[in-house]
Amino acid sequence: MQAFFARYPQIEEQEIVSPVVIIGLQRTGTSKLFRNVAADPQWNVLYTWQALNPIPPAGWEPGMPDPRLAAAEVWCQQQSFMSKAHKFEARAPEMEAMLMSQTFMVNSGMYVVPLIEAWLEQADFIPLYRT
């Protein structure tokens, strides 16, 4: 990631104006609401294939086919057992939780680890959303 940002420093110069944030508890319809809002072409959204691997592989250049898309198609097929809870589609908009899951700043909801839970309760999430 650091090498990619060094190669394309203009990424940090992109301004984010008036972001729309959807907040809600798990299993309350936030994913469906998000996908409905994201269907409007005025929004720049994160797609599942990007969330799974946010940095293109070494040697990739803009305009080239992106191998992350094919890898995401395979991953989504492997996750199909979860389709009743949350359907993953490689080319569909996806929430930032997938990006956050690549850090220690999110509770997966699958496991309760008291030390991590205590740490998360007092953690500062602002830097995570800034990057």
Side-chain angles (χ1 to χ4, degrees), residues 17-82:
V17 180
S18 302
V20 174
V21 179
I22 298 170
I23 299 172
L25 297 172
Q26 294 175 341
R27 314 273 56 90
T28 62
T30 52
S31 296
K32 289 183 182 188
L33 174 60
F34 170 71
R35 286 192 177 181
N36 282 332
V37 170
D40 187 330
Q42 74 172 313
W43 306 115
N44 181 15
V45 299
L46 177 71
Y47 293 95
T48 303
W49 67 272
Q50 296 166 319
L52 285 170
N53 192 350
I55 303 299
W60 179 86
E61 294 290 336
M64 294 173 62
D66 197 320
R68 297 177 295 168
L69 187 52
E73 296 280 0
V74 171
W75 183 86
C76 289
Q77 183 63 33
Q78 293 169 341
Q79 302 303 311
S80 63
F81 71 93
M82 291 182 55

